[in-house]
Amino acid sequence: MTKLTTTTNLTNPDAVYAAIIDAHRDLTDEQSAAFNARMVLLLANHIGDDDIVLEALNAAQA
Amino acid sequence: MSEPEFKALYQYGYARSPDQDAPERPHHPVVVVGAGPVGLATAIDLAQRGHPVVVLDDNDKISEGSRAICFSKRALEVCDTLGVGEKMVQKGVTWNIGKVFQGEDQIYAFDLLPEDGHKRPAFINLQQYYVEAFLVERAGALANLDLRWRNELCAVAPGEDLAVLTIDTPDGRYEVSADWVVACDGARSPLRTMLGQEFVGKVFEDRFLIADVKMKASFPTERWFWFDPPFHQGQSTLLHKQPDDVWRIDFQLGRDADSALEKRPDRVMPRLKAMLGENTGVALEWVSVYTFQCKRMAEFVHGRIIFAGDAAHQVSPFGARGANSGFEDAHNLAWKLDALINGKAGPQIIAFYGEERERAADDNIGNSTRATDFISPKSGMALTFRNATLDLARHFDFAKAMVNSGRLSKPTPYGPGGLNTPDEDDWANSVTPGSPPVDAPLENDAGERIWLLDALGADFTLVCHGCDVKAAMPADMRIVTIGRNVTDSLGLFAQRYDTRPGSCLLFRPDQYLCARWRHFDRDKVIAAQQRALGFG
Ligand SMILES: Cc1cc2nc3c(=O)[nH]c(=O)nc-3n(C[C@H](O)[C@H](O)[C@H](O)COP(=O)(O)OP(=O)(O)OC[C@H]3O[C@@H](n4cnc5c(N)ncnc54)[C@H](O)[C@@H]3O)c2cc1C
């Protein structure tokens, strides 16, 4: 059974996408990598469901 | 692992055994190979149960330089049954609290025993050589335990129902045969090699400098772990107190460090001064450089030869799971061998030793591998995530749980199934069948404090809440009746095991919970005991 939402789930996907890109604007590659790692960890915890996180890890291999 | 040479703290002597002059090859029910903590624990347990046991060790001394320092609550509980627990706690330094720092700041603290009402603390720190010396002393008090120093096992011929051992001594070689051989000959186990068994797993490349130093310092009795401290940038450091004003300080050195160079006092002292300040008087007790590995044998039981301790599995020290899990191996094995030798168990029982302790080894290896990976990340991205976790832990609670400076040794539950009878009644959150015991304070007839784990016998024990079932049970079943011969005035036993009047709990000889019922039923108790004896 899949639990990971893969259909559009944000009210304003363009704005969120832009915000993510924006957050990296002045960062070096190294800072960006660190930033992304913090994001992944924050979001994984927020999801709060181990199975969904594992599914997302799979989906991201695509 | 490097094997430094050190001076002897305890020197025992070789003595010629009558076996060496026997006209025919002598036979023994049990021979234990290796007088490290695990071999000694196994031998003492079996000897206490009445079996004659021969222990062989290629050495005859205990050297300075402690490997293990942290002994877990469960190891202490096992050592209580061996008669050395109290000595260890008296000599050791008790601790429950760990703190984790990044740079100059504390980011996380944990309490390993957040509740009262246990006989033993979460951990003590005690040099391994003291533990070994206490065990040797205890072994010497058992007339049926024959400890043979400078007896090196040099060949084995495994047979269907015995094994023949060739032993080398200062007087030359001799042979014995044994019904059972317990291989506790350490991480490099010659016996394992003789049987052609592999030892597979992960080798870590990072080198660690371990310095045991003597100093008068006012640090609290806590485990302090730094990621990237100002005095040792880019690496980790651990500080932990031992008895005799000795402190263990453990510096991560990275992959490329030169072990011989890093051990030199003129290299070690500046590291210590940077950490402790120029003016702290420190004397080096022992310095060594290690690399670590996490490995196990595929199977611990090979016919009549049974592996335990480091010979069967090896972990990195982050989590203090080596000797501690070895004590658990010994405790798991001894009662099973005892029951089998006495004709009370089914032949399967030894396979269950393998099953249960292989599961525990996976648990310990998993935990210690994850900790080692966190402390010394293997790739650039692993390091990025590690540092991201540490950064987040400064601000957010959730990330503290991901910070891994070592998940400290806890006994592994074996789960219901196998030797342990699954529940048929409803129980709230509490100890489940197949789980290690949780201690609780009780009072005896005279109103004195006693402990649940001390009240359990060396054999199966049925603990009943309020119902006296003695008359219904075979005379050799140990029965503890809460509310009759012992009292649970604080109610902690009832709370921890979710018992009500009528509840009955069956504990295995290794104190693991084996089965439980809301109401006593003689046949069910007997069936659960038979199942635990391998007749299931
Ligand atoms: C730096 C460091 C820190 C550690 N810290 C901890 C800790 O805090 N807590 C913890 O629980 N564990 C810790 N450990 C692990 C712990 O030291 C080991 O797990 C423990 O010593 C294993 O005990 P053992 O009896 O299985 O093997 P060993 O202690 O290695 O004993 C094996 C014995 O077998 C003998 N032997 C070998 N070959 C033969 C032969 N052919 N014939 C006869 N005898 C033989 C050896 O002489 C030796 O006496 C640490 C290890 C290291 C390196």
Side-chain angles (χ1 to χ4, degrees):
Chain A
M1 197 186 69
T2 74
K3 294 191 198 166
L4 180 72
T5 306
T6 50
T7 51
T8 298
N9 202 23
L10 290 164
T11 336
N12 196 341
D14 287 353
V16 172
Y17 186 88
I20 294 171
I21 301 301
D22 221 39
H24 285 272
R25 192 181 307 283
D26 297 320
L27 303 187
T28 62
D29 283 356
E30 197 180 325
Q31 289 167 332
S32 275
F35 180 96
N36 281 340
R38 291 194 294 272
M39 254 326 251
V40 167
L41 294 169
L42 275 162
L43 294 176
N45 180 66
H46 176 81
I47 289 165
D49 181 327
D50 300 16
D51 294 341
I52 297 183
V53 175
L54 298 181
E55 259 188 66
L57 283 174
N58 244 329
Q61 312 261 346
Chain B
M1 200 168 298
S2 53
E3 189 82 350
E5 276 301 317
F6 295 105
K7 73 167 190 274
L9 291 181
Y10 301 86
Q11 181 81 50
Y12 308 100
Y14 162 76
R16 192 176 173 88
S17 155
D19 279 6
Q20 289 163 263
D21 302 309
E24 280 172 39
R25 187 176 68 206
H27 181 77
H28 298 282
V30 184
V31 172
V32 174
V33 184
V38 180
L40 289 168
T42 308
I44 292 167
D45 200 333
L46 283 165
Q48 287 182 162
R49 293 173 186 278
H51 303 282
V53 186
V54 173
V55 182
L56 309 174
D57 198 274
D58 58 348
N59 221 316
D60 72 337
K61 57 178 184 285
I62 299 175
S63 300
E64 70 172 339
S66 175
R67 291 188 284 159
I69 60 164
C70 303
F71 291 89
S72 68
K73 180 172 192 293
R74 187 64 199 142
L76 292 171
E77 290 164 355
V78 170
C79 287
D80 275 336
T81 72
L82 304 176
V84 295
E86 188 58 30
K87 268 203 167 130
M88 289 170 65
V89 174
Q90 289 300 326
K91 180 68 195 171
V93 171
T94 289
W95 65 277
N96 294 307
I97 306 280
K99 289 186 178 153
V100 179
F101 302 84
Q102 187 196 21
E104 314 230 3
D105 307 321
Q106 179 183 324
I107 52 171
Y108 177 47
F110 53 87
D111 185 345
L112 294 166
L113 191 61
E115 59 179 27
D116 288 335
H118 295 260
K119 180 177 179 188
R120 294 308 180 200
F123 276 92
I124 62 161
N125 284 356
L126 180 63
Q127 291 87 334
Q128 182 166 337
Y129 48 74
Y130 282 125
V131 177
E132 291 179 13
F134 294 156
L135 289 165
V136 170
E137 187 188 5
R138 173 68 186 136
L142 294 162
N144 52 343
L145 198 162
D146 180 356
L147 177 45
R148 300 183 186 173
W149 300 111
R150 296 185 71 188
N151 273 239
E152 180 186 359
L153 177 80
C154 52
V156 64
E160 186 82 342
D161 47 17
L162 54 71
V164 178
L165 307 175
T166 307
I167 301 159
D168 202 12
T169 74
D171 289 334
R173 296 191 169 190
Y174 70 104
E175 283 189 352
V176 300
S177 58
D179 292 328
W180 297 98
V181 176
V182 188
C184 306
D185 50 349
R188 296 219 200 102
S189 176
L191 246 170
R192 195 180 60 220
T193 312
M194 290 172 203
L195 294 190
Q197 292 298 315
E198 288 191 65
F199 205 39
V200 266
K202 223 167 159 172
V203 178
F204 299 93
E205 289 166 12
D206 263 39
R207 286 167 205 282
F208 290 83
L209 170 72
I210 295 186
D212 283 348
V213 305
K214 214 167 177 122
M215 63 175 177
K216 298 270 185 210
S218 55
F219 296 107
T221 312
E222 299 171 344
R223 179 185 193 265
W224 283 17
F225 192 99
W226 286 264
F227 291 99
D228 195 17
F231 52 83
H232 189 49
Q233 282 176 11
Q235 305 282 9
S236 68
T237 303
L238 175 74
L239 171 72
H240 221 171
K241 186 177 182 156
Q242 303 173 56
D244 311 334
D245 290 317
V246 175
W247 297 75
R248 169 151 299 179
I249 302 173
D250 184 339
F251 294 104
Q252 181 185 18
L253 296 177
R255 282 161 209 224
D256 305 321
D258 175 340
S259 303
L261 180 71
E262 295 296 350
K263 269 192 285 200
R264 284 183 12 201
D266 59 321
R267 292 282 293 188
V268 179
M269 287 312 282
R271 294 192 189 283
L272 292 170
K273 296 244 180 252
M275 175 179 184
L276 304 163
E278 279 299 324
N279 301 324
T280 310
V282 291
L284 294 178
E285 280 264 309
W286 179 61
V287 177
S288 187
V289 174
Y290 284 96
T291 56
F292 299 115
Q293 44 190 30
C294 290
K295 290 185 170 175
R296 61 164 270 202
M297 297 175 77
E299 286 172 353
F300 296 176
V301 180
H302 294 267
R304 292 303 180 116
I305 303 172
I306 305 167
F307 289 81
D310 275 15
H313 47 74
Q314 203 187 2
V315 294
S316 82
F318 301 103
R321 287 166 181 266
N324 288 317
S325 70
F327 277 116
E328 294 166 33
D329 289 349
H331 207 219
N332 186 296
L333 178 59
W335 71 270
K336 289 176 178 158
L337 261 185
D338 166 62
L340 189 61
I341 293 170
N342 290 340
K344 289 188 179 163
Q348 308 293 20
I349 190 137
I350 298 302
F352 280 107
Y353 161 77
E355 195 181 296
E356 293 185 340
R357 294 314 298 169
E358 285 156 19
R359 181 195 288 230
D362 285 341
D363 179 28
N364 290 315
I365 286 173
N367 273 292
S368 92
T369 301
R370 290 193 291 267
T372 313
D373 281 340
F374 194 89
I375 292 164
S376 58
K378 296 277 149 321
S379 68
M381 192 46 71
L383 179 64
T384 301
F385 268 93
R386 199 285 297 279
N387 289 339
T389 307
L390 293 172
D391 290 343
L392 290 169
R394 289 167 172 260
H395 308 289
F396 306 113
D397 241 25
F398 84 88
K400 295 183 168 69
M402 289 179 166
V403 172
N404 193 343
S405 72
R407 303 277 180 239
L408 284 132
S409 178
K410 280 200 233 159
T412 304
Y414 308 136
L419 299 181
N420 310 300
T421 303
D423 286 331
E424 18 176 276
D425 306 319
D426 288 332
W427 298 83
N429 251 347
S430 58
V431 183
T432 53
S435 296
V438 176
D439 205 3
L442 301 167
E443 295 82 39
N444 66 10
D445 279 343
E448 295 155 347
R449 161 78 63 250
I450 57 165
W451 297 97
L452 173 68
L453 296 192
D454 290 336
L456 301 178
D459 212 327
F460 287 86
T461 304
L462 186 66
V463 181
C464 302
H465 184 148
C467 49
D468 197 344
V469 304
K470 230 181 179 88
M473 292 305 297
D476 62 352
M477 169 77 81
R478 182 181 174 84
I479 293 170
V480 173
T481 309
I482 310 272
R484 297 277 157 83
N485 50 354
V486 300
T487 323
D488 177 26
S489 65
L490 298 171
L492 286 173
F493 168 80
Q495 187 189 321
R496 288 174 187 168
Y497 289 89
D498 183 34
T499 62
R500 304 198 279 263
S503 302
C504 297
L505 310 178
L506 182 64
F507 289 89
R508 311 188 335 181
D510 57 8
Q511 304 179 331
Y512 269 61
L513 185 65
C514 171
R516 56 183 177 173
W517 304 271
R518 283 292 177 202
H519 299 286
F520 173 71
D521 179 327
R522 180 186 195 278
D523 294 344
K524 287 183 180 169
V525 177
I526 300 288
Q529 185 185 16
Q530 289 302 101
R531 177 174 178 155
L533 285 167
F535 293 114

